[in-house]
Amino acid sequence: MKIKSILIANRGEIAIRIIRTARKMGITTFAIKTAKEPNAWYLDEADEIIDFSECYDDTPEFLDIERIIYNAKEHHIDAIHPGYGFLAENPDFARRCEEEGINFIGPSHDAIYRMGNKTVAKELAKKAKVPLLGGSKGAVPNAEEARKIAAEVGYPVILKAAAGGGGRGMRVVEREKDIERMFKLASNEAEKAFNNPDVFIEKFVREPRHIEFQILADKHGNVVHLGERECSVQRKHQKLLEESPSPALNDALRKKMGEAAIRIAKSVNYYSAGTVEFLLDDANKFSFMEMNTRIQVEHPVTEMVTGIDLIEQMIRIAEGEKLPFEQKDIKLNGWSIEWRINAEDVQSGFSPSLGTVEKISWPESDQIRVDTGVRDGSVITPYFDSMIAKLIVHAEDREKALQLSSMAIRKFWIKGTKTTLAFCRAVLQNRNFREGKFNTSFISKELKIHYHHEPDEELLAAFFAVYDYAREVHEIEDKPLYVEKGKEIAPWVLNKRLR
Amino acid sequence: MKKSKKLIALSASNKAYEFNRPLERRIKYQGKKVDIKLREDPNGFSYIVWKNKKYMLDVIEKNQNRYTIMVNGVWHTFSVETPISFKRKKYLEQQGEGSANVSIEAPMPGKIIDILVEEGSEVKGGEAIIILEAMKMQNEISSQVSGVVKSVMVKKNDSVMKDDVLIEIQKG
């Protein structure tokens, strides 16, 4: 059935991203307004706004299943797109949509449930003959049991939240003496983040690559993969940049891993867009990690190299359409890299940097795409994650994509907040990164300094500090401020006059 | 009294950058004269043209003569001094002694989830002492120094602001 209206149960850049495609398809969009950011940009982009400003209880707006469902019905909305995070991988939400006759733009609640439960997912992968890592059978009941299992599996091990994702509730344990403390930490964090303290144990592969495959599947049993994304550059399991393809894969390995990803998807009769994550060790042996049953933050790199609009395909699949292509039609063209720009202070251990984005601008080109939820004057609140923009470049090959990245990052200007742009520069300076030789330990081991500046930049900063100071003194004392060619001028005034 | 004709920006690593006042477009740098052109673009960004490249600048924080300046995404801190205040600062530094107590401060705003030490505990440099939750992540705060915990200023479930003192450690 054709979808005429979509409620977007999300905010920020992904809400805007979904609206863009919906608008192209002639679909009316509804966005949810919260008291936490009542002037956010995504609200201006949507056709209609549903106001959640008034709070009835402590449930965060984008997690309030019944309120969202009620409003979707109240406004006669055909479908809901959950974006990523929040309710995207909540099987209850998908089930409630199904029950109420709202088209959930994503997989079935059953597929979400089975892939979201790590124990069930592993069983399915095993049956689908996809390689796996050793570990606990299901959730570990207590710290003592954790100690036993870890000893059997062998250190190092990793503790993961059973309901987890996005790096939260994950802890690597190197030695037996740390296992109890780390188990408690991971369990606490899991409880906080997912309302479920269950944690399981897995063999930890030292320094693997993190490679994931994009899947598209329709409701008629057709499944294709759209190649891989290289996501190895991570800090504390948080991805900071992604590329497609990966420098580590050749066509043969891509085919093998892609087919494994398709088998995983078929094992749960998957439909919609999904991502199958693998670890790849230094001998090119891969193991299934998990399946993300939603659109990913990093989906644009796949869109750039395949030319396929993933949101559009999700909507068409939800409408019951067949995939318009087969595996042999999927071609990967060129190289794409996505740089996540977070409002974080790289020089203070990536601590959150709140404030106002006074100004933001970037170089425009058909090889550069920026997905962002902020514009001049946007406020960065402590309520949501710190990602403010994604800078995506697309070029013929990796070398050119790196060059283009350097240029674009240099010209990506944000005034008013500290961002991870300095970190992006540091990564680009690194020789091993440039040569494609890196894995998930890249940031902790290889990248000793997390930000990069040119030698002269401190001088320029010093000059600017003195300028600003002198300007204030100048206002008080009426002394000459700045001299160019022997003439006294205030460059601010000069430039404003020129405009 | 004669007005000073210079201003000095003193970096966090004690590097002194000296400029003539009024500021000039041509400055002396590493023995050479180089142009430093300060401009503002139509979008309201300030930038300097230096050796034919543009550098975007922003005053991130300012408190009297203390500045945090962002250049191309990296921030630098300075205190702006006159030649007289610069001299006095140098003199005071020579007189001052390093304090034996070290404060562990919150690197970000958040909530205290757990305190792993108590008053009198011995800690080693790099050891985790507090779990702080911020932006839905639990972060281990560790002590940079070895010593004995002198006082614990927070308790479980406290909300803290950035730079709040959490724990004081007596170096030893």
Side-chain angles (χ1 to χ4, degrees), chain A residues 24 43 71 83 165 238 288 290 319 342 365 409 411 444:
Chain A
K24 186 179 78 180
L43 296 168
N71 276 280
Q238 299 282 350
F288 170 69
E290 61 180 32
E319 287 174 333
N342 298 340
S365 131
I409 286 166
K411 292 184 176 168
S444 57

Side-chain angles (χ1 to χ4, degrees), chain A residues 201-231:
Chain A
I201 295 182
E202 202 172 74
K203 175 75 188 167
F204 180 65
V205 185
R206 212 178 280 282
E207 306 186 0
R209 280 184 183 253
H210 174 132
I211 308 279
E212 58 184 33
F213 273 74
Q214 177 68 52
I215 291 294
L216 272 180
D218 63 23
K219 292 178 176 173
H220 309 275
N222 304 305
V223 189
V224 298
H225 75 80
L226 304 188
E228 76 279 10
R229 288 186 290 259
E230 164 67 68
C231 308

Side-chain angles (χ1 to χ4, degrees), chain A residues 171 181 189 192 345 347 359 410 414 416 425 452 454 456 458 468-469 472 481-484, chain B residues 17 23 25 29 36 39 43 50-51 54-56 58 62 67 72-75 107 133 138 140:
Chain A
R171 297 280 159 173
R181 182 168 60 92
E189 206 168 297
K192 274 261 152 66
D345 185 350
Q347 286 156 275
K359 297 204 171 292
R410 213 170 190 297
I414 298 177
R425 296 177 72 194
H452 171 77
E454 296 167 24
D456 291 351
E458 190 174 71
D468 194 84
Y469 182 84
E472 286 195 350
L481 172 62
Y482 183 79
V483 188
E484 253 191 46
Chain B
Y17 294 91
L23 292 163
R25 165 170 146 165
Y29 182 61
I36 187 162
R39 293 285 179 267
N43 295 318
W50 172 259
K51 297 179 180 171
K54 280 185 186 178
Y55 295 83
M56 197 272 277
D58 186 18
K62 154 160 91 167
Y67 279 84
N72 272 349
V74 178
W75 54 262
E133 188 180 80
Q138 293 197 356
E140 286 189 349

Side-chain angles (χ1 to χ4, degrees), chain A residues 178-455:
Chain A
D178 295 332
I179 186 89
E180 286 193 25
R181 182 168 60 92
M182 294 304 234
F183 178 81
K184 282 175 192 157
L185 266 177
S187 184
N188 274 346
E189 206 168 297
E191 168 96 71
K192 274 261 152 66
F194 313 107
N195 264 330
N196 177 354
D198 287 354
V199 168
F200 70 94
I201 295 182
E202 202 172 74
K203 175 75 188 167
F204 180 65
V205 185
R206 212 178 280 282
E207 306 186 0
R209 280 184 183 253
H210 174 132
I211 308 279
E212 58 184 33
F213 273 74
Q214 177 68 52
I215 291 294
L216 272 180
D218 63 23
K219 292 178 176 173
H220 309 275
N222 304 305
V223 189
V224 298
H225 75 80
L226 304 188
E228 76 279 10
R229 288 186 290 259
E230 164 67 68
C231 308
S232 300
V233 179
Q234 302 184 357
R235 180 180 173 275
K236 294 188 174 178
H237 303 288
Q238 299 282 350
K239 296 166 189 168
L240 289 162
L241 68 99
E242 302 89 357
E243 42 188 310
S244 183
S246 162
L249 266 58
N250 55 31
D251 286 344
L253 185 56
R254 178 171 301 117
K255 188 163 182 281
K256 223 167 120 187
M257 292 175 77
E259 283 167 0
I262 289 174
R263 287 203 300 279
I264 295 273
K266 284 190 169 164
S267 74
V268 281
N269 301 319
Y270 198 85
Y271 54 78
S272 194
T275 296
V276 180
E277 296 190 346
F278 296 103
L279 291 183
L280 184 69
D281 71 12
D282 48 11
N284 274 355
K285 222 178 104 219
F286 65 91
S287 350
F288 170 69
M289 233 190 337
E290 61 180 32
M291 182 169 188
N292 298 133
T293 53
R294 55 170 157 86
I295 192 77
Q296 302 266 102
V297 173
E298 59 271 25
H299 75 275
V301 291
T302 298
E303 295 187 321
M304 298 306 262
V305 295
T306 60
I308 293 168
D309 179 336
L310 287 168
I311 301 291
E312 179 185 339
Q313 291 307 320
M314 286 179 87
I315 295 171
R316 293 194 186 284
I317 290 165
E319 287 174 333
E321 280 190 31
K322 280 188 180 165
L323 286 180
F325 35 68
E326 293 171 36
Q327 192 61 53
K328 64 175 171 49
D329 304 322
I330 309 294
K331 298 273 183 297
L332 306 183
N333 291 313
W335 208 283
S336 180
I337 308 179
E338 171 182 279
W339 301 87
R340 294 195 191 191
I341 300 168
N342 298 340
E344 289 171 16
D345 185 350
V346 180
Q347 286 156 275
S348 305
F350 289 81
S351 65
S353 176
L354 306 176
T356 302
V357 176
E358 286 168 41
K359 297 204 171 292
I360 178 167
S361 85
W362 55 82
E364 303 211 1
S365 131
D366 52 8
Q367 289 182 295
I368 296 172
R369 162 176 167 185
V370 173
D371 284 14
T372 178
V374 303
R375 56 184 170 183
D376 293 359
S378 287
V379 178
I380 301 159
T381 72
Y383 307 111
F384 304 108
D385 70 78
S386 62
M387 193 180 75
I388 52 173
K390 307 186 298 200
L391 167 65
I392 305 120
V393 301
H394 184 213
E396 273 165 60
D397 53 36
R398 192 163 189 271
E399 185 55 40
K400 292 205 172 82
L402 291 173
Q403 277 174 20
L404 186 60
S405 297
S406 292
M407 184 282 283
I409 286 166
R410 213 170 190 297
K411 292 184 176 168
F412 202 112
W413 288 1
I414 298 177
K415 197 170 139 102
T417 182
K418 294 168 183 170
T419 70
T420 47
L421 278 166
F423 167 83
C424 301
R425 296 177 72 194
V427 172
L428 275 168
Q429 288 289 322
N430 184 282
R431 199 162 136 201
N432 283 340
F433 176 76
R434 299 192 69 91
E435 289 174 3
K437 296 177 197 151
F438 57 91
N439 54 48
T440 46
S441 73
F442 174 73
I443 292 177
S444 57
K445 292 219 171 135
E446 174 77 23
L447 203 67
K448 293 289 178 231
I449 296 171
H450 290 160
Y451 54 96
H452 171 77
H453 63 88
E454 296 167 24

Side-chain angles (χ1 to χ4, degrees), chain A residues 476-493:
Chain A
I476 300 161
E477 294 182 355
D478 199 27
K479 291 272 171 200
L481 172 62
Y482 183 79
V483 188
E484 253 191 46
K485 291 180 183 157
K487 276 200 283 184
E488 275 175 33
I489 42 167
W492 271 210
V493 175

Side-chain angles (χ1 to χ4, degrees), chain A residues 107-154:
Chain A
S108 67
H109 76 268
D110 176 64
I112 299 176
Y113 171 75
R114 290 203 277 167
M115 280 302 157
N117 185 312
K118 303 279 144 70
T119 319
V120 177
K122 284 185 151 192
E123 288 295 317
L124 286 164
K126 207 171 166 184
K127 271 190 209 151
K129 296 196 165 59
V130 175
L132 280 171
L133 294 171
S136 64
K137 274 204 155 137
V140 181
N142 54 48
E144 193 41 49
E145 197 64 21
R147 182 190 294 277
K148 268 192 213 158
I149 294 165
E152 278 166 31
V153 175

